[in-house]
Amino acid sequence: MYNYTQGISIKFLCLFLIIVLSGCESEKKKHTLDLNPIIPTGIGVNIHGELSNVDVQRFNEANIKLVRLDLKWEMVELEKGKYNFDYYDKLTKILKDNNIRPYFILDYSNKIYEKDRSVVTKQGQEAFANFAIAAVDRYKGKNAIWEIWNEPNAELFWTQQPSYDKYGELVEKVAPLIKQYDESGTVVAPALGIIDNESLQWLENFLKRGGILDNIDALSVHPYKPHSPETVSDDYRKIRELIKKHTNREIPIISGEWGYSAVDKPDYSLSEQGQAEYLIRMLVLNSINNIPVSIWYDWRNNGTQINYDQHNFGLLRYNYEIKPAYNALVNFNRLLSGFSYKERLNKNLSDDYLVKFTNKSSKEIYVYWTTEASHSVNISLPSDKGEIVTMYGERQGISWTDKISLNFTTSPQYLIVK
């Protein structure tokens, strides 16, 4: 005989399991970022303007997998309710044809709705949301990263500070819509400009709103520094502490923009060689800190070699000449392609970095450098042979028994174990 009570119980159990499993599946879809990605999956650059054939050629040579670009509201909606994406269609097609993941920044304001470079009115919020829906619906299914605004904690990009309340309202409105229209997409915010006490307080106020971290897949930051990149580990620690105060979810941190301006000029603060060193050190430090996306700012210099007042953050000069940083990135991606971060071996030596990367075949590559004066260090490693490779790819064979002597300099080098 059929037991009615038992039948009801079974039905409720099945329903419960469906809900739980659906919730788990939904949780899986909350972000598509591998916290320890295989190189060069999470490495990208920031661009401005159109892409030429030379850009594409250089992207492919350097194995660039991500490109971050502004998707500007005012360029798309010139008349209320009418959208023209022709300019971005061309850019997006180039990225798709070259297997490059787009990282769209939905920005900035629009004079037909807002008087300032911000979104503070209900009408403006609604209009920005409609623009976002139109953009996301047009470019969905491309595994895109969708970032809501750029550096809203800076007066330059969001007029009238502090902005965390109004910007928070915008994120709460737009982030769920992006998820609704593009299941393949990853939603990130707030593109925090610089990490210091002031910006961390802004971030604290932003996260206090509640619900923010339920609607985004990763927290994006711009860890610009006036000095070498090594202190970023402490910055990431502070941000993770803030995240934990406001959610139990695991929210990745991504480095959405970070770079160093450099010119080979005696009285300039950083040489192009120094820029190349900082780039590679930045990428390795981000790997150590489980930062799944590292976007270098910038792809190309804004100014000529003569006009030193312009920004010179590029991997290429304004005329597309290759800078040392570009060659260093080409070598990094080529050597470590298919590898991912394993561990830092010498944590007790704060100034020296010896970082191990491995691949699926258990092959090992070590990246090493120092923040101090050059010196040699004896490292205990099982007897073997391999190669020492410089930051730009020059190779030298080496073999050792029990210990290997490595020359640590500010320029990262690679030990490839055969």
Side-chain angles (χ1 to χ4, degrees):
M1 175 184 278
Y2 178 73
N3 187 319
Y4 181 80
T5 305
Q6 184 182 32
I8 292 292
S9 299
I10 292 172
K11 286 182 180 179
F12 274 110
L13 177 61
C14 291
L15 181 60
F16 174 76
L17 289 173
I18 289 171
I19 292 172
V20 170
L21 291 174
S22 297
C24 292
E25 185 63 27
S26 176
E27 187 67 26
K28 287 179 184 177
K29 291 181 179 178
K30 292 233 176 177
H31 68 76
T32 56
L33 298 174
D34 183 350
L35 295 183
N36 188 18
I38 294 173
I39 294 171
T41 305
I43 298 174
V45 294
N46 199 103
I47 66 166
H48 304 280
E50 298 179 354
L51 292 173
S52 68
N53 291 334
V54 177
D55 289 311
V56 174
Q57 178 186 346
R58 296 284 185 249
F59 284 159
N60 291 330
E61 288 171 354
N63 211 358
I64 299 293
K65 295 301 182 185
L66 265 170
V67 164
R68 181 175 183 259
L69 67 153
D70 294 296
L71 206 168
K72 294 183 178 180
W73 183 15
E74 64 183 4
M75 285 183 60
V76 170
E77 188 178 2
L78 298 176
E79 297 181 46
K80 286 188 176 183
K82 295 182 180 180
Y83 306 107
N84 185 333
F85 287 96
D86 290 351
Y87 175 82
Y88 293 106
D89 285 347
K90 181 180 178 181
L91 278 173
T92 303
K93 184 179 186 303
I94 292 172
L95 298 180
K96 180 182 177 182
D97 290 348
N98 289 276
N99 298 311
I100 296 173
R101 186 180 185 184
Y103 183 144
F104 294 116
I105 319 165
L106 296 168
D107 61 18
Y108 286 105
S109 194
N110 193 320
K111 288 294 185 182
I112 62 178
Y113 296 102
E114 298 282 346
K115 66 176 183 177
D116 295 319
R117 199 179 205 191
S118 54
V119 180
V120 297
T121 67
K122 292 297 181 183
Q123 181 194 32
Q125 289 178 354
E126 193 66 33
F128 185 90
N130 290 335
F131 150 69
I133 289 171
V136 173
D137 190 46
R138 192 173 190 89
Y139 302 124
K140 64 187 176 185
K142 294 178 172 58
N143 196 29
I145 296 175
W146 296 99
E147 189 164 50
I148 303 169
W149 216 267
N150 175 67
E151 299 189 0
N153 61 309
E155 184 81 24
L156 176 63
F157 299 110
W158 188 288
T159 308
Q160 298 180 0
Q161 293 292 321
S163 58
Y164 43 78
D165 277 333
K166 286 298 181 182
Y167 173 69
E169 288 179 11
L170 193 67
V171 172
E172 288 167 355
K173 187 176 186 64
V174 173
L177 294 172
I178 297 175
K179 290 176 173 292
Q180 178 183 338
Y181 280 84
D182 186 10
E183 291 185 359
S184 77
T186 299
V187 184
V188 306
L192 186 72
I194 306 179
I195 305 174
D196 57 17
N197 290 336
E198 184 179 351
S199 65
L200 289 173
Q201 184 58 59
W202 185 97
L203 181 61
E204 169 80 18
N205 291 327
F206 173 64
L207 297 180
K208 277 180 182 177
R209 293 184 55 83
I212 292 288
L213 294 175
D214 291 329
N215 289 311
I216 64 173
D217 300 319
L219 195 146
S220 55
V221 299
H222 300 169
Y224 286 101
K225 297 182 177 302
H227 48 72
S228 65
E230 280 71 21
T231 58
V232 77
S233 296
D234 192 48
D235 294 334
Y236 291 142
R237 178 189 59 78
K238 291 175 182 177
I239 292 173
R240 287 196 169 99
E241 288 174 355
L242 281 180
I243 291 173
K244 287 179 181 178
K245 284 177 62 176
H246 298 282
T247 185
N248 292 323
R249 286 184 60 211
E250 183 179 30
I251 304 292
I253 300 170
I254 70 172
S255 178
E257 182 182 317
W258 185 7
Y260 290 88
S261 181
V263 176
D264 278 338
K265 185 182 178 186
D267 58 347
Y268 205 80
S269 59
L270 187 67
S271 68
E272 291 185 347
Q273 167 68 16
Q275 181 190 46
E277 293 177 1
Y278 282 6
L279 164 61
I280 302 306
R281 286 156 61 174
M282 178 202 85
L283 292 174
V284 177
L285 286 160
N286 280 350
S287 292
I288 292 172
N289 287 283
N290 296 119
I291 306 300
V293 171
S294 297
I295 302 295
W296 176 263
Y297 187 95
D298 207 359
W299 173 239
R300 192 159 63 100
N301 284 359
N302 290 350
T304 66
Q305 285 181 275
I306 298 173
N307 187 356
Y308 294 111
D309 292 331
Q310 297 290 329
H311 287 189
N312 293 281
F313 288 82
L315 299 177
L316 306 176
R317 298 191 179 94
Y318 187 76
N319 61 359
Y320 289 98
E321 287 182 355
I322 289 173
K323 293 169 66 178
Y326 176 85
N327 287 329
L329 180 61
V330 169
N331 187 50
F332 179 89
N333 281 343
R334 184 176 296 154
L335 287 177
L336 291 172
S337 179
F339 284 72
S340 58
Y341 168 72
K342 182 67 175 178
E343 61 179 324
R344 180 184 172 190
L345 272 69
N346 58 338
K347 295 179 183 178
N348 59 317
L349 300 175
S350 61
D351 298 328
D352 293 346
Y353 286 79
L354 178 64
V355 185
K356 181 179 179 180
F357 290 80
T358 60
N359 64 9
K360 290 182 178 179
S361 301
S362 298
K363 291 185 177 179
E364 300 174 355
I365 295 180
Y366 297 84
V367 187
Y368 61 97
W369 75 90
T370 184
T371 60
E372 299 299 325
S374 301
H375 59 275
S376 294
V377 179
N378 289 323
I379 307 293
S380 294
L381 281 179
S383 301
D384 215 321
K385 61 181 179 178
E387 286 183 303
I388 299 291
V389 184
T390 68
M391 189 169 67
Y392 300 119
E394 294 87 0
R395 295 171 177 260
Q396 178 183 352
I398 189 172
S399 60
W400 63 92
T401 303
D402 297 329
K403 287 187 177 183
I404 182 172
S405 179
L406 297 177
N407 184 34
F408 281 65
T409 71
T410 58
S411 178
Q413 299 180 81
Y414 305 86
L415 169 62
I416 301 176
V417 180
K418 292 298 186 180

